Amino acid sequence: MDIEHMGPETVDLLVDKGMIRRSADLYRLRAEELLALDRTGEKSVENLLSSLQRSREQDFERVLFALGIRYVGETVAKKLARHFKHIDRLAAASLCLKSLPLWMRSVRGSQRVCVSSLKTRYSRNS
């Protein structure tokens, strides 16, 4: 997701402490809970929270690609973002094949597998 000040060590620490389980949890982090971590100063927390805020301003297609949904590469992410415009609309559509864009319903092979991956991803998170 290209978040400055969010290296693998930080992610591992947050996961180990139970503060995050999935990427959406990053955006619920509060300064108070981050400051309670060992070796975490005010400036580090401020930098991390600022980076998280900037990451919210990324284009939807980049965020969708960064989620790492199986079979959703840059091209498919771009097409999905153009069609749905918002993650909530994509999540709702992926649970109902009829509401997916025609290009996804009509193409055989990898696009069908992509639909299956989307359904799996969003049925788990609902």
Side-chain angles (χ1 to χ4, degrees), residues 60-89:
F60 178 38
E61 64 191 58
R62 290 189 62 181
V63 173
L64 187 57
F65 175 67
L67 288 174
I69 301 170
R70 193 171 187 189
Y71 304 112
V72 176
E74 289 183 64
T75 302
V76 172
K78 196 174 286 190
K79 287 181 178 183
L80 288 169
R82 253 188 255 131
H83 181 81
F84 289 105
K85 312 267 192 274
H86 194 273
I87 193 89
D88 293 333
R89 290 180 62 199

mmCIF file of all heavy atoms in Angstrom, residues 60-89:
data_model
loop_
_atom_site.group_PDB
_atom_site.id
_atom_site.type_symbol
_atom_site.label_atom_id
_atom_site.label_comp_id
_atom_site.label_asym_id
_atom_site.label_seq_id
_atom_site.Cartn_x
_atom_site.Cartn_y
_atom_site.Cartn_z
ATOM 1 N N PHE A 60 -8.403 4.829 -6.069
ATOM 2 C CA PHE A 60 -9.069 3.567 -5.746
ATOM 3 C C PHE A 60 -8.394 2.388 -6.439
ATOM 4 O O PHE A 60 -8.191 1.340 -5.838
ATOM 5 C CB PHE A 60 -10.558 3.666 -6.118
ATOM 6 C CG PHE A 60 -11.346 2.414 -5.880
ATOM 7 C CD1 PHE A 60 -11.124 1.609 -4.777
ATOM 8 C CD2 PHE A 60 -12.344 2.045 -6.761
ATOM 9 C CE1 PHE A 60 -11.866 0.457 -4.567
ATOM 10 C CE2 PHE A 60 -13.087 0.901 -6.556
ATOM 11 C CZ PHE A 60 -12.840 0.108 -5.461
ATOM 12 N N GLU A 61 -7.994 2.544 -7.680
ATOM 13 C CA GLU A 61 -7.376 1.425 -8.410
ATOM 14 C C GLU A 61 -6.069 0.994 -7.747
ATOM 15 O O GLU A 61 -5.766 -0.196 -7.682
ATOM 16 C CB GLU A 61 -7.149 1.779 -9.875
ATOM 17 C CG GLU A 61 -6.171 2.899 -10.094
ATOM 18 C CD GLU A 61 -6.166 3.409 -11.512
ATOM 19 O OE1 GLU A 61 -7.210 3.845 -12.001
ATOM 20 O OE2 GLU A 61 -5.084 3.359 -12.122
ATOM 21 N N ARG A 62 -5.302 1.937 -7.223
ATOM 22 C CA ARG A 62 -4.044 1.585 -6.548
ATOM 23 C C ARG A 62 -4.313 0.861 -5.240
ATOM 24 O O ARG A 62 -3.611 -0.084 -4.880
ATOM 25 C CB ARG A 62 -3.213 2.839 -6.295
ATOM 26 C CG ARG A 62 -2.652 3.415 -7.595
ATOM 27 C CD ARG A 62 -1.679 4.498 -7.327
ATOM 28 N NE ARG A 62 -0.540 3.949 -6.578
ATOM 29 C CZ ARG A 62 0.475 4.665 -6.174
ATOM 30 N NH1 ARG A 62 0.526 5.939 -6.431
ATOM 31 N NH2 ARG A 62 1.459 4.118 -5.505
ATOM 32 N N VAL A 63 -5.320 1.315 -4.513
ATOM 33 C CA VAL A 63 -5.684 0.659 -3.256
ATOM 34 C C VAL A 63 -6.179 -0.754 -3.533
ATOM 35 O O VAL A 63 -5.787 -1.707 -2.873
ATOM 36 C CB VAL A 63 -6.759 1.482 -2.501
ATOM 37 C CG1 VAL A 63 -7.267 0.722 -1.297
ATOM 38 C CG2 VAL A 63 -6.200 2.839 -2.099
ATOM 39 N N LEU A 64 -7.026 -0.890 -4.531
ATOM 40 C CA LEU A 64 -7.579 -2.196 -4.896
ATOM 41 C C LEU A 64 -6.456 -3.158 -5.272
ATOM 42 O O LEU A 64 -6.426 -4.301 -4.820
ATOM 43 C CB LEU A 64 -8.571 -2.025 -6.043
ATOM 44 C CG LEU A 64 -9.363 -3.237 -6.461
ATOM 45 C CD1 LEU A 64 -10.140 -3.820 -5.296
ATOM 46 C CD2 LEU A 64 -10.314 -2.875 -7.589
ATOM 47 N N PHE A 65 -5.511 -2.709 -6.061
ATOM 48 C CA PHE A 65 -4.370 -3.537 -6.441
ATOM 49 C C PHE A 65 -3.545 -3.899 -5.206
ATOM 50 O O PHE A 65 -3.115 -5.038 -5.034
ATOM 51 C CB PHE A 65 -3.512 -2.809 -7.478
ATOM 52 C CG PHE A 65 -2.250 -3.533 -7.839
ATOM 53 C CD1 PHE A 65 -2.282 -4.737 -8.525
ATOM 54 C CD2 PHE A 65 -1.022 -3.014 -7.478
ATOM 55 C CE1 PHE A 65 -1.109 -5.416 -8.851
ATOM 56 C CE2 PHE A 65 0.157 -3.677 -7.799
ATOM 57 C CZ PHE A 65 0.105 -4.875 -8.480
ATOM 58 N N ALA A 66 -3.355 -2.937 -4.304
ATOM 59 C CA ALA A 66 -2.528 -3.149 -3.111
ATOM 60 C C ALA A 66 -3.144 -4.141 -2.131
ATOM 61 O O ALA A 66 -2.435 -4.719 -1.307
ATOM 62 C CB ALA A 66 -2.282 -1.823 -2.410
ATOM 63 N N LEU A 67 -4.445 -4.355 -2.211
ATOM 64 C CA LEU A 67 -5.092 -5.303 -1.298
ATOM 65 C C LEU A 67 -4.611 -6.734 -1.527
ATOM 66 O O LEU A 67 -4.762 -7.589 -0.663
ATOM 67 C CB LEU A 67 -6.618 -5.245 -1.454
ATOM 68 C CG LEU A 67 -7.284 -3.996 -0.911
ATOM 69 C CD1 LEU A 67 -8.771 -3.999 -1.251
ATOM 70 C CD2 LEU A 67 -7.080 -3.881 0.588
ATOM 71 N N GLY A 68 -4.047 -6.981 -2.694
ATOM 72 C CA GLY A 68 -3.490 -8.301 -2.965
ATOM 73 C C GLY A 68 -4.533 -9.386 -3.172
ATOM 74 O O GLY A 68 -4.308 -10.540 -2.828
ATOM 75 N N ILE A 69 -5.670 -9.008 -3.729
ATOM 76 C CA ILE A 69 -6.710 -9.994 -4.021
ATOM 77 C C ILE A 69 -6.208 -10.870 -5.171
ATOM 78 O O ILE A 69 -5.764 -10.360 -6.197
ATOM 79 C CB ILE A 69 -8.045 -9.319 -4.398
ATOM 80 C CG1 ILE A 69 -8.516 -8.438 -3.248
ATOM 81 C CG2 ILE A 69 -9.095 -10.364 -4.762
ATOM 82 C CD1 ILE A 69 -9.684 -7.552 -3.590
ATOM 83 N N ARG A 70 -6.279 -12.147 -4.968
ATOM 84 C CA ARG A 70 -5.761 -13.091 -5.956
ATOM 85 C C ARG A 70 -6.390 -12.834 -7.325
ATOM 86 O O ARG A 70 -7.604 -12.657 -7.431
ATOM 87 C CB ARG A 70 -6.068 -14.506 -5.492
ATOM 88 C CG ARG A 70 -5.319 -15.541 -6.247
ATOM 89 C CD ARG A 70 -5.513 -16.872 -5.599
ATOM 90 N NE ARG A 70 -4.657 -17.836 -6.252
ATOM 91 C CZ ARG A 70 -4.702 -19.117 -6.056
ATOM 92 N NH1 ARG A 70 -5.547 -19.614 -5.193
ATOM 93 N NH2 ARG A 70 -3.891 -19.919 -6.684
ATOM 94 N N TYR A 71 -5.560 -12.804 -8.361
ATOM 95 C CA TYR A 71 -5.949 -12.603 -9.751
ATOM 96 C C TYR A 71 -6.388 -11.175 -10.075
ATOM 97 O O TYR A 71 -6.874 -10.921 -11.159
ATOM 98 C CB TYR A 71 -7.048 -13.590 -10.197
ATOM 99 C CG TYR A 71 -6.657 -15.022 -9.978
ATOM 100 C CD1 TYR A 71 -7.299 -15.796 -9.029
ATOM 101 C CD2 TYR A 71 -5.615 -15.602 -10.699
ATOM 102 C CE1 TYR A 71 -6.934 -17.114 -8.805
ATOM 103 C CE2 TYR A 71 -5.242 -16.916 -10.483
ATOM 104 C CZ TYR A 71 -5.902 -17.665 -9.538
ATOM 105 O OH TYR A 71 -5.541 -18.965 -9.309
ATOM 106 N N VAL A 72 -6.243 -10.252 -9.137
ATOM 107 C CA VAL A 72 -6.553 -8.852 -9.437
ATOM 108 C C VAL A 72 -5.229 -8.117 -9.587
ATOM 109 O O VAL A 72 -4.616 -7.686 -8.613
ATOM 110 C CB VAL A 72 -7.422 -8.193 -8.340
ATOM 111 C CG1 VAL A 72 -7.649 -6.721 -8.645
ATOM 112 C CG2 VAL A 72 -8.753 -8.915 -8.223
ATOM 113 N N GLY A 73 -4.794 -8.006 -10.848
ATOM 114 C CA GLY A 73 -3.570 -7.275 -11.158
ATOM 115 C C GLY A 73 -3.896 -5.815 -11.427
ATOM 116 O O GLY A 73 -5.021 -5.357 -11.213
ATOM 117 N N GLU A 74 -2.922 -5.094 -11.916
ATOM 118 C CA GLU A 74 -3.110 -3.664 -12.160
ATOM 119 C C GLU A 74 -4.216 -3.383 -13.175
ATOM 120 O O GLU A 74 -5.030 -2.480 -12.974
ATOM 121 C CB GLU A 74 -1.804 -3.025 -12.619
ATOM 122 C CG GLU A 74 -0.781 -2.923 -11.510
ATOM 123 C CD GLU A 74 0.479 -2.217 -11.947
ATOM 124 O OE1 GLU A 74 0.381 -1.019 -12.272
ATOM 125 O OE2 GLU A 74 1.534 -2.859 -11.965
ATOM 126 N N THR A 75 -4.258 -4.160 -14.247
ATOM 127 C CA THR A 75 -5.257 -3.917 -15.293
ATOM 128 C C THR A 75 -6.667 -4.185 -14.794
ATOM 129 O O THR A 75 -7.572 -3.365 -14.984
ATOM 130 C CB THR A 75 -4.958 -4.803 -16.528
ATOM 131 O OG1 THR A 75 -3.640 -4.500 -16.990
ATOM 132 C CG2 THR A 75 -5.953 -4.546 -17.634
ATOM 133 N N VAL A 76 -6.866 -5.300 -14.126
ATOM 134 C CA VAL A 76 -8.198 -5.629 -13.603
ATOM 135 C C VAL A 76 -8.596 -4.624 -12.521
ATOM 136 O O VAL A 76 -9.742 -4.173 -12.479
ATOM 137 C CB VAL A 76 -8.239 -7.080 -13.071
ATOM 138 C CG1 VAL A 76 -9.544 -7.359 -12.347
ATOM 139 C CG2 VAL A 76 -8.043 -8.063 -14.217
ATOM 140 N N ALA A 77 -7.649 -4.235 -11.667
ATOM 141 C CA ALA A 77 -7.942 -3.240 -10.628
ATOM 142 C C ALA A 77 -8.394 -1.923 -11.255
ATOM 143 O O ALA A 77 -9.350 -1.292 -10.785
ATOM 144 C CB ALA A 77 -6.713 -3.017 -9.748
ATOM 145 N N LYS A 78 -7.741 -1.540 -12.320
ATOM 146 C CA LYS A 78 -8.102 -0.293 -13.006
ATOM 147 C C LYS A 78 -9.517 -0.381 -13.581
ATOM 148 O O LYS A 78 -10.327 0.535 -13.422
ATOM 149 C CB LYS A 78 -7.096 -0.026 -14.127
ATOM 150 C CG LYS A 78 -7.115 1.383 -14.661
ATOM 151 C CD LYS A 78 -6.003 1.608 -15.666
ATOM 152 C CE LYS A 78 -4.696 1.692 -14.893
ATOM 153 N NZ LYS A 78 -3.561 2.144 -15.687
ATOM 154 N N LYS A 79 -9.834 -1.502 -14.211
ATOM 155 C CA LYS A 79 -11.174 -1.682 -14.789
ATOM 156 C C LYS A 79 -12.248 -1.713 -13.705
ATOM 157 O O LYS A 79 -13.312 -1.116 -13.847
ATOM 158 C CB LYS A 79 -11.234 -2.974 -15.611
ATOM 159 C CG LYS A 79 -10.506 -2.899 -16.925
ATOM 160 C CD LYS A 79 -10.641 -4.212 -17.676
ATOM 161 C CE LYS A 79 -9.970 -4.162 -19.024
ATOM 162 N NZ LYS A 79 -10.174 -5.413 -19.771
ATOM 163 N N LEU A 80 -11.965 -2.430 -12.625
ATOM 164 C CA LEU A 80 -12.927 -2.503 -11.521
ATOM 165 C C LEU A 80 -13.151 -1.124 -10.898
ATOM 166 O O LEU A 80 -14.290 -0.738 -10.605
ATOM 167 C CB LEU A 80 -12.444 -3.483 -10.455
ATOM 168 C CG LEU A 80 -12.497 -4.955 -10.821
ATOM 169 C CD1 LEU A 80 -11.751 -5.788 -9.788
ATOM 170 C CD2 LEU A 80 -13.933 -5.424 -10.957
ATOM 171 N N ALA A 81 -12.079 -0.382 -10.699
ATOM 172 C CA ALA A 81 -12.182 0.949 -10.095
ATOM 173 C C ALA A 81 -12.997 1.880 -10.986
ATOM 174 O O ALA A 81 -13.830 2.643 -10.499
ATOM 175 C CB ALA A 81 -10.791 1.525 -9.849
ATOM 176 N N ARG A 82 -12.753 1.808 -12.284
ATOM 177 C CA ARG A 82 -13.519 2.653 -13.219
ATOM 178 C C ARG A 82 -15.000 2.318 -13.183
ATOM 179 O O ARG A 82 -15.844 3.190 -13.236
ATOM 180 C CB ARG A 82 -12.991 2.470 -14.641
ATOM 181 C CG ARG A 82 -12.203 3.661 -15.101
ATOM 182 C CD ARG A 82 -11.848 3.569 -16.566
ATOM 183 N NE ARG A 82 -10.427 3.232 -16.635
ATOM 184 C CZ ARG A 82 -9.904 2.278 -17.367
ATOM 185 N NH1 ARG A 82 -10.650 1.544 -18.156
ATOM 186 N NH2 ARG A 82 -8.628 2.052 -17.339
ATOM 187 N N HIS A 83 -15.299 1.040 -13.073
ATOM 188 C CA HIS A 83 -16.699 0.615 -13.102
ATOM 189 C C HIS A 83 -17.420 0.898 -11.780
ATOM 190 O O HIS A 83 -18.532 1.413 -11.772
ATOM 191 C CB HIS A 83 -16.811 -0.870 -13.441
ATOM 192 C CG HIS A 83 -18.217 -1.357 -13.511
ATOM 193 N ND1 HIS A 83 -18.993 -1.163 -14.618
ATOM 194 C CD2 HIS A 83 -18.987 -1.991 -12.602
ATOM 195 C CE1 HIS A 83 -20.201 -1.671 -14.392
ATOM 196 N NE2 HIS A 83 -20.211 -2.174 -13.175
ATOM 197 N N PHE A 84 -16.803 0.560 -10.655
ATOM 198 C CA PHE A 84 -17.499 0.617 -9.370
ATOM 199 C C PHE A 84 -17.319 1.924 -8.605
ATOM 200 O O PHE A 84 -18.161 2.266 -7.783
ATOM 201 C CB PHE A 84 -17.075 -0.557 -8.479
ATOM 202 C CG PHE A 84 -17.621 -1.853 -8.967
ATOM 203 C CD1 PHE A 84 -16.801 -2.760 -9.602
ATOM 204 C CD2 PHE A 84 -18.959 -2.164 -8.817
ATOM 205 C CE1 PHE A 84 -17.311 -3.969 -10.066
ATOM 206 C CE2 PHE A 84 -19.472 -3.359 -9.276
ATOM 207 C CZ PHE A 84 -18.639 -4.264 -9.902
ATOM 208 N N LYS A 85 -16.207 2.600 -8.801
ATOM 209 C CA LYS A 85 -15.925 3.892 -8.182
ATOM 210 C C LYS A 85 -15.720 3.855 -6.660
ATOM 211 O O LYS A 85 -15.164 4.768 -6.098
ATOM 212 C CB LYS A 85 -17.022 4.927 -8.474
ATOM 213 C CG LYS A 85 -17.450 5.028 -9.908
ATOM 214 C CD LYS A 85 -16.673 6.085 -10.626
ATOM 215 C CE LYS A 85 -17.256 6.426 -11.975
ATOM 216 N NZ LYS A 85 -16.815 5.590 -13.040
ATOM 217 N N HIS A 86 -16.201 2.835 -5.962
ATOM 218 C CA HIS A 86 -16.067 2.785 -4.500
ATOM 219 C C HIS A 86 -15.997 1.328 -4.037
ATOM 220 O O HIS A 86 -16.671 0.462 -4.579
ATOM 221 C CB HIS A 86 -17.256 3.487 -3.835
ATOM 222 C CG HIS A 86 -17.030 3.755 -2.392
ATOM 223 N ND1 HIS A 86 -17.318 2.843 -1.409
ATOM 224 C CD2 HIS A 86 -16.508 4.835 -1.756
ATOM 225 C CE1 HIS A 86 -17.001 3.342 -0.241
ATOM 226 N NE2 HIS A 86 -16.507 4.554 -0.412
ATOM 227 N N ILE A 87 -15.209 1.083 -3.015
ATOM 228 C CA ILE A 87 -14.995 -0.283 -2.507
ATOM 229 C C ILE A 87 -16.285 -0.943 -2.036
ATOM 230 O O ILE A 87 -16.481 -2.135 -2.214
ATOM 231 C CB ILE A 87 -13.910 -0.300 -1.389
ATOM 232 C CG1 ILE A 87 -13.459 -1.723 -1.084
ATOM 233 C CG2 ILE A 87 -14.394 0.368 -0.125
ATOM 234 C CD1 ILE A 87 -12.328 -2.196 -1.905
ATOM 235 N N ASP A 88 -17.187 -0.162 -1.434
ATOM 236 C CA ASP A 88 -18.443 -0.742 -0.954
ATOM 237 C C ASP A 88 -19.292 -1.263 -2.104
ATOM 238 O O ASP A 88 -19.924 -2.310 -1.989
ATOM 239 C CB ASP A 88 -19.241 0.278 -0.135
ATOM 240 C CG ASP A 88 -18.547 0.633 1.159
ATOM 241 O OD1 ASP A 88 -17.785 -0.204 1.672
ATOM 242 O OD2 ASP A 88 -18.760 1.760 1.645
ATOM 243 N N ARG A 89 -19.302 -0.545 -3.218
ATOM 244 C CA ARG A 89 -20.066 -1.007 -4.382
ATOM 245 C C ARG A 89 -19.453 -2.270 -4.966
ATOM 246 O O ARG A 89 -20.159 -3.179 -5.382
ATOM 247 C CB ARG A 89 -20.134 0.090 -5.439
ATOM 248 C CG ARG A 89 -21.017 1.256 -5.003
ATOM 249 C CD ARG A 89 -21.102 2.337 -6.025
ATOM 250 N NE ARG A 89 -21.713 1.815 -7.257
ATOM 251 C CZ ARG A 89 -21.591 2.405 -8.430
ATOM 252 N NH1 ARG A 89 -20.904 3.514 -8.553
ATOM 253 N NH2 ARG A 89 -22.167 1.887 -9.491
#
